[in-house]
Every structure is written in C-alpha cells, then in structure tokens.
Amino acid sequence: MRLTEIDLQGYGEFLDAPAAFRCTQYHLPTTWDYVYTNGNILLRIHHDGNGYLQLAPPSGPALFRQEQGQSAPSMFVWILSEAQGQRETFSNFWLPTIPLVEPSIEPEEYSCTFSPEKVLYRVRNSNLVVETELWVPPSDRAVVMSVAIANAGNEPKNIVVMPVLKPHMTAFSLAPWNIPHHYQTASFCQVNGIPTFWFQCRDPGGEPARRWYAAAVSDLDAAAFEVSANRFIGKGDWHSPEAVWHGTLARRLVGGELPDYGDITRENSIIAQPPLAALERDISLAPGARFDFTFVFGELAHNGDGRLPPQSQVKKLSRYLDPGVRAQALQELSTRYAKLFTIRSLNTPDECLNRYVGEFLPLQLLWVSLLDRGWPTGMRGTRDAAQDATGMVPLDRELARDRLLEILACQRSDGWFLRQYSTAGPKGKHDARPYVDSGLWVGELLHEYLCYTRDFAILDEELGWLDIDNPATVLDHTLRLLRYYIAPENIGEHGLCKIRGGDWNDSINRAGLEGRGESVMVSCQAVLGLEQATELLEYLVEIGYPEHLLAQAEELRAAAQDLRANLLEHALNHLGYFNGVFTDAGQWVFSPHDPDGQSRLNVPVNSFAIIAGLLDASSRDRIFDAIDALKGPHGWRLFYPPIGDPPIDKLGRIGQGDLLGGLSENGSVYNHGSHGFLGRAAWTAGRGTMLHQILRYMFSYDQQAHPVDVAKTAPYAVVNKWEEAPGFDGQGGATFLSGSISTALRNCYQGMAGFRPGLRHLVIDPCIPADWEGIGADVRFLGGRYHLQIRSPEHVEYGVVSLKLDGQPIDCRYHDSHLGRTVAAIPVADLRVGEDHVIEVLLGRQS
C-alpha cells in the first residue's frame, strides 16, 4: 500500500507531491496543522486558518496569535455577497460566517492542501470560489497571503472584500499587569502608492533598543481602512464584528492625501488601543471572472535606536506584491525542500514507511530543531534540543554544530546542565530545576557529531560556563559533563546516579529532592556515555592529542565498569528486568513490588539497559518477553498499571495522582519512550520484525494502529502521546512536539539500514523483518553518497555474512560490547571525502 491509498474516512488524503497532504473537510476530529519557517519567523497554521506567527522562534514575540477563546483566525478575509436577496458573509477559510451557520455545516467545497513551501485553501460558497495561498519567504521575516475570488455562477456578483488582521505584537506569555496595547501604536498611510499599516511595540522596561516594528502592505485598491479594533468590533466581537454587519469600514479613502509614513493623526492612527489592520473594497464579478490581491505582514527591522525604520523596510515587504517575486521565492522554497528530501532515502517492501521516512520525518525534524519542538518560549529544553540536533547531524551538520556549542555555553562548571536554557545565552533567564539527565543527551549529540562529521577541531574551541568566567575547551566541557555523573556527591547508596529533581520522565519530579533517590535510566545512559568517551579519548591520542588523555580514559572506563556492576547487583530484580527508580523514601518503584502493591516494568529504563549492553542475549529475551505484556491497542505503554491510586510517596506528580492515569507519562503510550527507545533496543538486540512493528505504532498514518477516528490527530504528524484515560482512549496529542521524530529517523537509518559511522569504523549492521528479502538505502557520509543494497535470502533479521564496497569484499569485523555481537564494518581510514560508494550486504545465518 502507498500513502496515497490509505483510507482516512473522508477527512483528507496524502498527495503524490513531496510531504503534501490535503484536508478535504473543514470539520475534522481536531485541528490539523503544519509549520512554515525559515528560522527567522514561524507560521504554525491550522487547517481552519487559525494559528500563530512568531518572530525569531522560539524566543521572539508573536506578530499574531490565537487568543484564549478565539475561534476565528487572526488574519483572514471577510467576503460579503448577496444571495437570493439576502446578504451572506463568510471568510476565505469558510468560518466565521454572518449570519452564523450551524457549527457542523460544511461549505459547498472545501480543501486545505499543506505542502512544504505553502498552504493552499479552497472554499466554494454561493457560487464564489475563494483560493488562499499562505507561505513564509525563504529568509524574510514575513508571511504572504494571496487571495483569488472567482464567480463560478451564471449571474454577476457584487461583493465586498474586507481583509482583516488582529496583531498581537508582544510576547506569548505576559505578566498579569502588562496590557500590550498600552505600549502599541498603529497607523495607516501609503508608501509609493501602496496601502501600508505600520505598528510600533514599545518596551515596558523603557529600553528604546528593545522596541520593534511591523507592517502590513497590500495591493488591494481599497475604498476604506480601519486601525482600531474597538471601532471595527463595535458592539459585536471578533467573530461577528459590527463593521462587517454594516458592510463598511469607518475610515473612507475619498480624495485627498494620506499622512506621510511616520505621521500620527486622529484620522489615520490609534495609540494605546487594541490595533487592527483592515481594508475594504467593493467588487463586481461577471460570470467566470476572477479577482486577486495579496496581503503581506512582517517585521520592519530598525537600526537599534528604537526609531521608526526607514521606508526601505516597507519596500522590502512590498516586493512580495509582485507576482514574479512571489513565484521566484516559492521556487526557491521548493528547491530547498527537494534538496532536504534527497539527502537520504529508504527502500523497503513497506512503501508507506519509505515515503514517510524520506519526506515527512526530515521535514518535521527540521521544524522542531529550529523551534525547540515548537514551544513559543524564550528557552530551549537542553534534553530536547540535544536530541533533535542529534537527529539533524546527517541532514545539517552546521545546525547541529551551532546547537551543540549553544548548549555547552550554558553548562555549569561542575558539569551539570540546565533543564532549559535561555536563547539569550548564559546571562539569560533559565529553568534550573534539578533534572540530571540533560548532560547525557548532550554527550550523545557530541559523539554522533564527531562520528558523522570528523570535525575534531570543535573539541579545541573554547566556551565559557554558566557560573564562572574562565573559558575551557569543548573537550574539557565534555569531560566535566561525564565526571558529574561519577562524582561522589552524585552517586547514591546503591552506587547509581542520583536522580535529584528528575530524569527523562519529567513526571517523576520528587524522587530525589532530599538527595537519596537514584535513577536506573540515567545510570544506564551514563554507562553508555562513559564507554563512548573512553573510546573517544583513546582515538584522540591516536590522531595526535596528548597521551595523558589515556589516563582519563582509564578513569572513565573504570567508572563505567563500577556502574555496570552496581546496576546488575542492585537494580536487576529476580524477574529478570531492571527496577526504575529508588526514591528518597528508600523504596524501589517500577519493580516487582512497588509501594502501592503493584508490579511494574518501565520500558525506557529497560530499553536503555539493553542499549547500554548490560545483558547477554538470553537475559535480553526475558526483558522483551516482559515488555510484550505492556502492548495495548495503541502501542506499548511506558509502564502499567498507572500510578496514583493509592499514591506513592516521594515520587512526584505521577505518584500522587495529580497526573491522572492514562495521561501523558502515567501508564500511557508516550511515543518517545514507549516506541522510540524500545525501537532502539530492538535493533540493538537484532529484532528486526519487532522494530518494524514499533515503527508502525510510532507513526499516525497506519490506520490499523491508529484509526483516524480514534487518534483524531493529523495522520501526517508525529505525536507525543496516545492517551488512555477515559474519554481519551487512543487519542493522539501534541503533534510535532516530540523527541520521537529524531529517534525514529535514527532507528530507520542506524537500525533498520544499519548504517552507523563510528570513530574508527563505518559499521554496517542492518536489522530487518524476517519476512523481507532485503531493503535498500541511500545516505550521505563524508560528502559522498552511499548506496546500500541489502539482501536476506534466508529471511534472517540480522547478521552480515558478506560485505562488499564497490564490488570488493571487505573482511573487517569487531565485537561491539553494547550489541553483544560481532559486526561487519569498513575502516573509516579507507574512505575518502567526497567519494560515492555502493555497499552490498548479504545477511545470513552465521556459524
């Protein structure tokens, strides 16, 4: 089956165009959305036209946003017409309408087509066909909306077109005493004959350099305008404003000249009132006739002194009123995304998987890598940013490098990392909750970056610290990162890493606040990180770094061995799986005998025990058998049953029942931990059939795993969770905001295709379902393209018996202690930068 053949119950369809999807109903089970961003601005737009526009994500202000209780978009077009002697009013997105129609009514025709470069809406109502194109330019901080209205009837149509914009023009989150419009000005003028609204947002703190400006321009030859939201709304509301009921705006453009750009008068401006940008024009459309106009809204950059930017900034936005400029920009965007989609590809018997992994996953990873999972705040989660950047390493090494250095610059000098760090840098406002897992994800990012890019020079770059001014090399930052986890004050009574304020599972936020609690998952991650660092230090000496690094390598190796031993002695229980957390109350949780009398296995904890290579094959099989019991109708649960009734003391919001069972991380299918980490454990253990099954449950498009009427979320979107609380059974949540995206990509290319660059070797170790006869993949490495041809005539899941590079046999193997088996590999020293290669792989039963 192909993506385009999936039956989505009439709600929409996958298209043949790259990463494209069309919604075919206005009323969907929930809002489905898409992201448009160039890194300088973000438009997150819903299928119904709602959403937000943010400058400088994730920390910048909102140019517009959906306010609480607001169902109508913040930027749209009212269309007023006569039908059978009565005025009928609707929007270019369909709703809102005047008079109000029954909420479930669909227009005569509706579609919303998302593609990487633009979104196209099409609405037909009363013989009017309205098409709206929205997109973000390749680099400018703006959004472009082009609208075409056609008369599809046999009679002439007289209509009124009224584009409206309700700016937000300030931060997403405000102090209770901040009233945004007190610091805002809106004014209307013409710049070179083009209707122009300009907006000023002043700084409540009194710093002129922190002011910022925006403008809206249009080629609509308007007869009237409005800048006051109060006048426009009148006695109505945003969904049913008085001006639309009257069919006209208050400020008429009849003769005379408008004030100059920058002039503020009673007639063209408002100060310290809610701002608005609205235009009005009457249009007569003959049968078959069409009318087009464009509306552009974006930032006006100033020179830092807080004064109104020059008219040249307005002209920069006005360029997009030219159809030729728009066409060129859209072509540039199309080319950019086509390049992204050709960096890597997968060719398996599962055609849906191939296309989803090749198009929709890298696109969503790009979004979240730029935006920190899409949260509109002034901070990035250290863990989140590191995980996303790790997935981006093979796709955009510069983005990954920049993010790595950005994170390391906010590291504390004892090696600890913030829960969230400010995008303003070390001196910004941070989230310093005492979670302890962040550094290990940063360490994995560095390891992945070095293996893929060979950019060892980054280790010599110097960065400061969060708490002291003395700069240190990236290598020193890395060593302190690791030593944090083995420092005596951070090791608990079982010789495991203390959990303090939390680990990956955010809801376990009170297990170690008193200093006693320990995390098994962090301890497993630390084993993996310490052993990877040991290999790195030894390799650095081989390429010319000082030999004293060998002594540090031995120190880290010994610490890893101690952690391994302590995990096996104290955390591995009599049922053969690992307990999860030891709390300040002196109790094990996620164990055969939890304090509430239940028995629970924690999937992420045991997945990382397998990933870190703590167990032999037979012991791993016992864990997988136990994990299989956690599979429900929507995938594998993090653990089961949920916690909270009765409560478990000193565990956190998950233990007291504040986070109810079946929601988020409490006994539900939490995609990143339930499927992402488990998938990695599956290919670590050579379980290709299980890996494929996990991937099917990771992605929303699979209608056997996640029927759209149950999941409700967009079938093209990776979700963070499928909840199982009453009334939510199987419903997806938090589209795009998940580490599942990067983890899924890594599971496909590093796991299924088995392409894993290391410090010394390029490991080739595919892991595929037993019923497949082979797969193919195309990947990039060292500036060249590598084409993999993988055959499995004996239908085995893993085990390379023959490896050829460009037709020549490669006989290089080494024992991977984390996998617990010997793998085939190509020495990296034998590969040259910029060369393309064909790698032929034969899987079979090994003697």
Side-chain angles (χ1 to χ4, degrees), residues 376-434:
T377 71
M379 294 185 286
R380 295 187 190 275
T382 302
R383 173 205 306 154
D384 302 341
Q387 289 171 345
D388 296 338
T390 302
M392 282 299 293
V393 168
L395 300 174
D396 188 339
R397 61 176 284 175
E398 292 305 318
L399 186 153
R401 190 182 203 274
D402 291 346
R403 189 71 73 243
L404 174 60
L405 296 177
E406 179 182 277
I407 296 170
L408 287 170
C410 292
Q411 181 186 12
R412 203 168 63 193
S413 58
D414 67 348
W416 179 80
F417 284 84
L418 294 156
R419 174 66 185 87
Q420 299 180 88
Y421 66 93
S422 171
T423 55
K427 303 302 181 183
K429 184 177 180 180
H430 308 289
D431 173 3
R433 288 175 293 169

Side-chain angles (χ1 to χ4, degrees), residues 338-357:
K339 182 179 179 180
L340 173 67
F341 301 147
T342 58
I343 293 175
R344 296 191 294 186
S345 64
L346 201 62
N347 182 16
T348 77
D350 186 340
E351 293 190 25
C352 291
L353 180 72
N354 298 342
R355 188 166 167 219
Y356 193 80
V357 169

Side-chain angles (χ1 to χ4, degrees), residues 439-447 478-479 481-483 485-486 497 521-537 552-553 556-557 559-561 563-564 608 611-614 680 759 818:
L440 293 165
W441 305 109
V442 180
E444 187 163 36
L445 166 58
L446 175 65
H447 183 266
T478 305
L479 292 172
L481 177 163
L482 294 161
R483 290 198 179 101
Y485 294 97
I486 58 176
C497 299
M521 181 171 173
V522 166
S523 300
C524 293
Q525 290 179 272
V527 169
L528 181 64
L530 288 164
E531 291 177 346
Q532 288 175 338
T534 297
E535 182 188 12
L536 171 62
L537 293 175
Q552 297 184 61
L556 299 184
R557 178 180 286 109
Q561 291 171 347
L563 273 176
R564 277 180 175 272
F608 265 93
I611 294 164
L614 293 177
R680 186 174 171 184
L759 294 171
H818 297 136

